[in-house]
Amino acid sequence: MLGFCALAPLSDATAKILAEDFPILQLVAVRFVVQAAVLIPLVSLTRRSWRMSPLGWRLTGLRTVLQVAGIWLMTKALTFLPLADAIAIAFVMPFILLLMGHFILGEEVGRRRLAACGVGFLGTLMVMQPSFAAVGWAVLYPLGVAFVFAAFMLVTRRISGEADPIAMQGASGAMAVIGLGLVYAVSPDTSALALVVPKVQALPLLLAMGLLGTTAHLLMTWSLRFAAASTLAPMQYLEIPVAALIGLLLFGDFPNALAMAGIAVTIATGLYILWRERSSA
């Protein structure tokens, strides 16, 4: 999970750079082409099993759709927002997961944790406020990321015990490539679906984006195979300071005082919820 926290913001930063010259859907397609090209041969070379139950394959398909949507939304958000702000807003996801568990799965959630969700969302609004003043409703893209990846995490948890992580990621890569290929084949010619021929100097960045993203999500999936999500969740908050450092070094961006206060509130309430979950376990 620590590896995910280091590599995922690097992949996002690379996508932010590339989004200046390439349509976002093309970047998403490249991301999954690299994933499939790396992991499918790796499954064969390491003699791993593709075996999953019929339900596992259906959930892998759903997981793929959610992952494609989440990556598209995050890349879109990064065309408007600083890296750290976008990731910090998306960290409303743990609160959404808790609420999904309560209202959809019927899990018992105490009043204190529900109150903490409210406080954490206020922290998210503190991060959003300066960005909303600058870019308007585009600040909602990271919220979309949060909802999509909350569902993605629930599905991943459901199948992480029965599926080999590399095989599952390889299958997701193949499904995404086929699905996006069909989109390009049957959709009308629009600017969103245009294909830009990359210049030679852009190829290393495109490859790096794909490899970093593939490795990050593989590490995250692998971590859920060996440890409970509640154990790993506190480490995920390290993604925010890592993103802030990368944003400062690459783009000269850094959250202002209000956004920093909001990030602190979000992290504190998230850790409180995890502590309450462990205390009541």
Side-chain angles (χ1 to χ4, degrees):
M1 187 59 80
L2 291 175
F4 170 81
C5 292
L7 296 183
L10 279 173
S11 178
D12 290 336
T14 308
K16 181 178 176 69
I17 295 170
L18 289 166
E20 297 179 3
D21 299 313
F22 294 92
I24 293 174
L25 195 63
Q26 183 176 350
L27 294 178
V28 176
V30 169
R31 160 75 171 73
F32 284 100
V33 165
V34 173
Q35 179 172 316
V38 171
L39 295 185
I40 291 175
L42 186 60
V43 172
S44 299
L45 290 172
T46 56
R47 297 182 179 180
R48 295 176 181 271
S49 175
W50 292 101
R51 186 175 302 167
M52 277 189 281
S53 67
L55 176 61
W57 281 107
R58 290 195 295 272
L59 289 176
T60 299
L62 173 61
R63 180 180 180 276
T64 301
V65 172
L66 292 170
Q67 190 176 12
V68 169
I71 292 173
W72 187 92
L73 285 167
M74 177 56 81
T75 308
K76 186 71 174 178
L78 291 173
T79 63
F80 296 98
L81 299 169
L83 181 65
D85 287 12
I87 290 178
I89 294 169
F91 259 86
V92 75
M93 183 190 72
F95 312 130
I96 295 171
L97 269 174
L98 188 71
L99 295 174
M100 279 184 173
H102 177 61
F103 292 108
I104 297 176
L105 302 179
E107 296 175 353
E108 185 63 32
V109 178
R111 287 179 295 176
R112 292 181 181 179
R113 278 180 282 179
L114 288 174
C117 283
V119 175
F121 188 70
L122 287 177
T124 302
L125 292 178
M126 291 168 67
V127 181
M128 291 173 63
Q129 193 278 330
S131 298
F132 185 83
V135 302
W137 293 104
V139 298
L140 296 181
Y141 283 116
L143 285 182
V145 174
F147 278 98
V148 168
F149 271 108
F152 173 84
M153 289 290 287
L154 287 176
V155 175
T156 300
R157 273 192 237 172
R158 172 64 180 80
I159 58 177
S160 60
E162 75 164 85
D164 179 87
I166 295 178
M168 181 167 59
Q169 288 292 92
S172 286
M175 290 177 180
V177 170
I178 293 170
L180 290 171
L182 290 174
V183 169
Y184 275 105
V186 303
S187 298
D189 186 17
T190 64
S191 59
L193 294 170
L195 290 174
V196 175
V197 178
K199 297 178 181 178
V200 174
Q201 56 266 36
L203 294 178
L205 275 180
L206 289 166
L207 181 60
M209 179 193 67
L211 290 175
L212 289 167
T214 296
T215 306
H217 280 274
L218 180 61
L219 290 173
M220 184 270 290
T221 304
W222 226 329
S223 70
L224 291 171
R225 188 180 178 92
F226 293 108
S230 60
T231 302
L232 298 168
M235 300 182 196
Q236 285 185 271
Y237 285 101
L238 288 173
E239 190 178 348
I240 298 176
V242 170
L245 179 60
I246 293 171
L248 179 63
L249 293 176
L250 292 184
F251 308 108
D253 295 328
F254 199 76
N256 66 15
L258 181 61
M260 287 292 291
I263 288 171
V265 170
T266 301
I267 292 175
T269 51
L271 293 177
Y272 171 78
I273 287 172
L274 291 167
W275 175 74
R276 289 293 303 175
E277 287 181 348
R278 290 185 178 184
S279 299
S280 61

